[in-house]
Amino acid sequence: MGASAGGVNAILDLASVLPRDFPAPILFVQHIGAHPSELWKLVSARGPNQAVTAADGDVPRPGMIHIAPPDHHMLLEGNVIRLSQGPKENHARPAIDPLFRSAALQHGPRVIGVILTGMLDDGSAGLRAIKRCGGIAVVQDPADAFAPSMPQSALACVAADHVVSLAALGPLLYGLASRPAPVLPVAFEPPATLRHEHAVTLGQRPVENLRAISQPSIFSCPDCSGVLSELHDKHPVRFLCHTGHAFSLRSLAHAQEQVTDAAVWSSLRALQEKEMVLRRLAEVHGPQLPGHGFNALREADELGRISTMLRQLIEKSSDAGDFNAPA
């Protein structure tokens, strides 16, 4: 399961209705970044099933809710949980896509992927990976979600098997998990593109694997400034750099907005500081050097005018676009 904005309340509500004998392990990613979290305590207190912060090497058990720890991706390697501080995906760590992708690669049709409330579109590509490997895709009804963007994005990319309200999710999952699990074919072979992408994020022959699934784009990575390559799979449109940072088009726009915002405010600060220095120069040296004082004041006035225009442009730009809004 994966969630972002509104996800804490969603997992608490879900935990309260899951029966004690829930027959499958639950792995849950909440976008919490690097902030300390005791979400496992809250979830454990709300229902009969124990929740834990996942640890590297944990073996998922039926009825246990494993929650990705702060600043770590949670992955599956065979039947074992692995934690990674690898590159952020969609500007998040933990991110949903790495868990879903690794689960799909390891367990194929035995996986149920669930996208809950959240902003932007992390999880859409991962849910598509689950479907491509024969798993089941479940999406919270956007009309029922605190933040509908993630569910809407998932539905735009994946033919979901079930779209349900949060209230209906517990009974649905219990019914799905109670069925006999599909037997993983001995010859199960996930799509090569997923294997290549996963290898890049793990740092395994990144250049060779990236070349197999993408082509260089004109964009640079907001996280490391490397060249971003656009993946051939366009559902959704995504970008990956050779260090493993991954972005959907929407998360890239959001990340670039943050980078641009910091840059333009830094430029405004530099202009205002130069204006103040020039005015101080005119004040101190103007009486002795009237010509220099006049020129300094004239340049300061021009910088003041430019600073005012730049501030107005920044504020207009901030109001103009909201990349968190649903597509």
Side-chain angles (χ1 to χ4, degrees):
M1 296 184 188
S4 183
V8 171
N9 287 335
I11 190 63
L12 292 177
D13 288 347
L14 180 61
S16 69
V17 299
L18 289 178
R20 185 180 301 277
D21 61 342
F22 193 78
I26 295 174
L27 280 69
F28 177 67
V29 172
Q30 168 69 38
H31 285 176
I32 53 177
H35 306 291
S37 172
E38 293 191 334
L39 180 57
W40 66 274
K41 287 185 178 179
L42 299 175
V43 175
S44 287
R46 283 296 284 268
N49 297 289
Q50 182 183 0
V52 297
T53 297
D56 193 71
D58 280 353
V59 177
R61 301 200 310 270
M64 180 79 75
I65 303 173
H66 300 265
I67 299 174
D71 203 30
H72 286 76
H73 294 310
M74 179 168 58
L75 311 174
L76 275 173
E77 184 181 278
N79 293 320
V80 175
I81 290 175
R82 294 299 182 196
L83 300 182
S84 165
Q85 282 193 296
K88 292 181 178 181
E89 297 202 22
N90 295 311
H91 218 48
R93 189 174 56 227
I96 302 164
D97 279 341
L99 171 63
F100 282 21
R101 186 172 56 244
S102 67
L105 288 168
Q106 296 295 319
H107 299 285
R110 299 169 64 88
V111 179
I112 302 169
V114 182
I115 292 293
L116 299 173
T117 173
M119 307 297 277
L120 296 177
D121 54 2
D122 186 26
S124 293
L127 194 64
R128 176 170 160 81
I130 289 173
K131 281 286 288 184
R132 291 178 69 194
C133 292
I136 296 174
V138 180
V139 178
Q140 183 179 3
D141 186 342
D144 179 65
F146 173 83
S149 180
M150 261 177 35
Q152 287 176 328
S153 297
L155 292 174
C157 297
V158 180
D161 298 289
H162 304 276
V163 180
V164 296
S165 67
L166 190 61
L169 181 59
L172 171 67
L173 292 180
Y174 183 76
L176 293 174
S178 297
R179 298 175 184 174
V183 176
L184 193 66
V186 175
F188 172 67
E189 186 65 26
T193 53
L194 293 181
R195 291 190 282 105
H196 286 305
E197 183 179 351
H198 193 54
V200 174
T201 62
L202 295 178
Q204 299 170 351
R205 295 183 298 168
V207 175
E208 177 182 337
N209 281 296
L210 188 58
R211 188 180 295 125
I213 58 174
S214 67
Q215 60 185 17
S217 77
I218 61 174
F219 305 120
S220 60
C221 176
D223 287 343
C224 70
S225 300
V227 175
L228 285 173
S229 292
E230 184 171 344
L231 300 184
H232 298 319
D233 182 4
K234 306 301 183 186
H235 301 281
V237 174
R238 290 182 299 136
F239 300 86
L240 191 62
C241 74
H242 68 270
T243 58
H245 297 115
F247 299 88
S248 68
L249 190 57
R250 292 178 66 198
S251 67
L252 178 62
H254 182 68
Q256 291 288 14
E257 180 186 24
Q258 294 177 313
V259 171
T260 303
D261 187 69
V264 293
W265 283 111
S266 179
S267 298
L268 179 61
R269 173 195 55 77
L271 286 172
Q272 290 176 329
E273 287 183 357
K274 185 175 181 181
E275 177 191 355
M276 289 185 288
V277 168
L278 288 171
R279 294 194 186 283
R280 181 64 174 152
L281 181 67
E283 178 185 345
V284 173
H285 296 292
Q288 293 82 23
L289 300 166
H292 287 288
F294 174 77
N295 288 336
L297 279 176
R298 184 174 61 182
E299 186 176 352
D301 289 341
E302 179 65 13
L303 287 174
R305 185 183 68 81
I306 294 172
S307 296
T308 299
M309 291 174 58
L310 180 57
R311 176 180 285 275
Q312 291 171 345
L313 286 172
I314 293 172
E315 292 173 351
K316 276 187 179 180
S317 176
S318 297
D319 293 338
D322 180 5
F323 296 114
N324 288 329

